[in-house]
Amino acid sequence: MKISVVGCGYLGAVHAASMAELGHDVVGIDVDEPKIAALRDARAPFYEPGFEELLERTLATGRLRFSTDIADAAGAAVHFVCVGTPQKRGEYAADLRYVEAAAESLLQVLQPGELVVGKSTVPVGTAARLAELVSEKAPGALLAWNPEFLREGFAVQDTLHPDRLVYGLPTGPDGATAEAMLDEVYAPIVARATPKVVTDYATAEMVKTAANSFLATKISFINAMAELCEATGADVKQLADAIGYDDRIGRKFLNAGLGFGGGCLPKDIRAFMARAGELGADQALTFLREVDNINMRRRIRMVELAREVCDGSLLGKRVAVLGAAFKPDSDDIRDSPALNVAAQLQLQGAVVRVTDPAAVENSRRLWPQLDYADSPEEAAERADAVLVLTEWRAYRELDPVVFGQIVKQKRVLDGRNALDREAWTAAGWTYRALGRRAG
Ligand code: UDX
């Protein structure tokens, strides 16, 4: 099948290469020339395990191309829209300008019988509006909404082996036509009996925001329990283990710590609240405001904890921050809790040195006022406190005995409950974590 993918950011680039891996003839389109140049050279414009290998493999087959010219999308049977929907500046709502621009540009090439497939996370109602535009400006072409659930760090795996497929389709015979086309696109995935939910546009759009809202709620729930554990002397990690044994609850996404960041969960719950307000249903989602508040409070608590261990004042204290990415195996620093904490520490007078295995370059661009180090050892030299804020494997595996020789004071703050408390305390460290007793 001939496929075009408009938008070659995280979602689009991985989707384009994955569709080529499934055997399709794919062109990825983006207005960002350096990004397209990198992708053509099989260089990933972002850190994602396994992606560069996939890119190299699929480019070598000749089935994958990249272009900055929308005219190259002409003739594709299916056109995926994979552009970003960031949060509007100063507002909760999603900024749809890239989705609109992608739709407008596709209208230049769209022919009867072709299918536009939206994958971006959009406010409910967007697909119906775009479908109207398509039927008006490109009669005979169809639109479907097919949300994507990939996680950074597992993007290739999640795209090629999704937990489920969700198709939001037009009504009537057009729906059956669009479904058949999507089944052809995803043939090997469909053949594995991957669960498939065939529905209307609004439900498909909502599945994505509802899923992300649920995940965010689960994280904030355990972080609210962490606040109570701090107040009572209980242990949130054991609490999570114990409630997680109940199948109905499950242990996944119950890791208490600094909370969620990244380019999806924070902005998606806010856009969902904004859309609910527009629809006159804001009461249904007021709990998400609390989810957001709990999440942001964790960052403040982390800074307080750092001040506490530094004898009540951060002024002039050398603090090593291990981790800048919003989560491990990513160089994404959008709404990163780690960088947010680092910046607050600096504002309170600490001398902060940040390190990260993949995200230093991005961090330097966005937060030039922070100081960066190339390794945890360099960051921690003569430090008064070490904060582990992103749980990279390299940090989880640090040897507390060896590491203890670098610092001035053996004080470690485990912002992700990722370290072996017993090993660190045995090596003479003062260990503090969110939602756990001091060790
Ligand atoms: C998320 C969704 O998981 C994915 O399905 C959707 O398509 C996009 O948004 P992603 O943003 O890549 O994916 O990261 P995810 O692994 O969900 O983690 C989000 C944030 O929550 C990270 O900052 C992570 O550190 C934090 N988190 C996750 C916790 O604090 N505790 C947990 O138990 C799990």
Side-chain angles (χ1 to χ4, degrees):
M1 240 179 161
K2 278 195 77 177
I3 289 178
S4 88
V5 176
V6 179
C8 289
Y10 215 93
L11 167 60
V14 174
H15 194 67
S18 299
M19 293 304 101
E21 176 86 343
L22 293 185
H24 301 299
D25 206 347
V26 184
V27 59
I29 313 269
D30 201 293
V31 291
D32 184 336
E33 286 191 13
K35 188 183 285 173
I36 290 296
L39 288 166
R40 278 182 179 145
D41 281 356
R43 276 184 290 117
F46 44 78
Y47 180 92
E48 177 63 39
F51 175 58
E52 233 162 44
E53 292 82 341
L54 173 71
L55 197 56
E56 206 168 319
R57 193 163 65 238
T58 45
L59 281 167
T61 64
R63 288 197 304 269
L64 178 63
R65 287 176 303 129
F66 290 98
S67 168
T68 51
D69 188 357
I70 192 69
D72 287 323
V78 176
H79 305 272
F80 283 101
V81 175
C82 293
V83 293
T85 51
Q87 189 176 337
K88 273 188 186 164
R89 203 173 267 270
E91 282 181 54
Y92 268 19
D95 185 344
L96 292 180
R97 80 176 82 167
Y98 305 110
V99 173
E100 272 145 23
E104 287 295 335
S105 64
L106 275 174
L107 288 174
Q108 298 166 27
V109 298
L110 210 53
Q111 295 298 316
E114 294 176 3
L115 179 67
V116 177
V117 182
K119 288 200 86 65
S120 310
T121 303
V122 291
V124 60
T126 308
R129 196 159 50 76
L130 293 178
E132 253 175 56
L133 184 75
V134 167
S135 74
E136 189 188 309
K137 299 271 174 64
L142 298 175
L143 180 124
W145 215 261
N146 169 223
E148 176 59 55
F149 304 94
L150 68 80
R151 295 160 299 165
E152 295 188 17
F154 301 88
V156 174
Q157 156 79 11
D158 286 353
T159 306
L160 291 170
H161 298 273
D163 292 340
R164 74 296 214 187
L165 292 166
V166 177
Y167 299 174
L169 301 177
T171 48
D174 285 350
T177 308
E179 181 178 354
M181 289 175 85
L182 281 168
D183 279 350
E184 197 181 333
V185 170
Y186 295 126
I189 298 170
V190 173
R192 283 199 299 269
T194 302
K196 186 173 101 178
V197 179
V198 177
T199 184
D200 51 83
Y201 292 143
T203 308
E205 291 166 315
M206 269 196 62
V207 169
K208 177 63 197 278
T209 25
N212 276 356
S213 299
F214 190 84
L215 295 172
T217 304
K218 209 171 170 189
I219 298 169
S220 277
F221 174 82
I222 200 65
N223 281 333
M225 294 306 109
E227 287 189 25
L228 277 164
C229 287
E230 283 155 24
T232 56
D235 186 293
V236 74
K237 212 168 170 178
Q238 286 188 309
L239 178 108
D241 288 342
I243 64 172
Y245 285 124
D246 184 330
D247 279 348
R248 294 168 304 173
I249 296 172
R251 181 63 177 82
K252 288 183 184 161
F253 266 70
L254 280 184
N255 294 322
L258 254 193
F260 57 84
C264 290
L265 300 190
K267 68 122 173 124
D268 285 354
I269 63 168
R270 291 173 194 153
F272 204 20
M273 283 187 268
R275 185 66 185 132
E278 286 167 12
L279 294 165
D282 43 345
Q283 264 194 332
L285 296 186
T286 44
F287 76 96
L288 285 180
R289 195 171 304 271
E290 205 43 50
V291 165
D292 204 0
N293 288 340
I294 294 166
N295 194 51
M296 299 311 280
R297 275 207 299 273
R298 293 287 75 191
R299 304 178 186 188
I300 297 168
R301 177 68 190 134
M302 195 69 214
V303 177
E304 273 173 18
L305 210 53
R307 199 178 35 241
E308 266 172 49
V309 298
C310 287
D311 308 318
S313 169
L314 285 164
L315 202 64
K317 299 285 163 56
R318 297 174 69 92
V319 178
V321 167
L322 274 48
F326 84 103
K327 68 174 201 180
D329 291 322
S330 171
D331 64 354
D332 196 341
I333 53 162
R334 285 176 293 172
D335 205 343
S336 165
L339 281 176
N340 191 292
V341 167
Q344 287 186 56
L345 292 167
Q346 192 185 48
L347 274 176
Q348 299 202 15
V351 180
V352 182
R353 297 206 82 187
V354 182
T355 189
D356 189 283
V360 164
E361 212 179 301
N362 284 344
S363 307
R364 233 188 223 118
R365 261 198 304 272
L366 202 73
W367 298 79
Q369 69 275 37
L370 287 167
D371 210 12
Y372 296 94
D374 290 332
S375 67
E377 289 76 17
E378 192 186 326
E381 215 182 312
R382 291 193 300 113
D384 294 287
V386 174
L387 275 63
V388 177
L389 302 186
T390 311
E391 69 277 33
W392 286 91
R393 177 196 272 263
Y395 302 157
R396 283 190 272 122
E397 290 177 351
L398 282 172
D399 182 336
V401 176
V402 179
F403 208 62
Q405 290 156 11
I406 301 165
V407 296
K408 186 162 129 204
Q409 300 276 0
K410 287 194 209 168
R411 299 161 172 157
V412 65
L413 274 69
D414 184 0
R416 293 290 181 182
N417 282 313
L419 304 179
D420 179 345
R421 177 168 65 181
E422 279 61 46
W424 284 77
T425 46
W429 288 74
T430 299
Y431 173 95
R432 298 295 300 269
L434 295 166
R436 303 186 80 192
R437 282 180 299 275

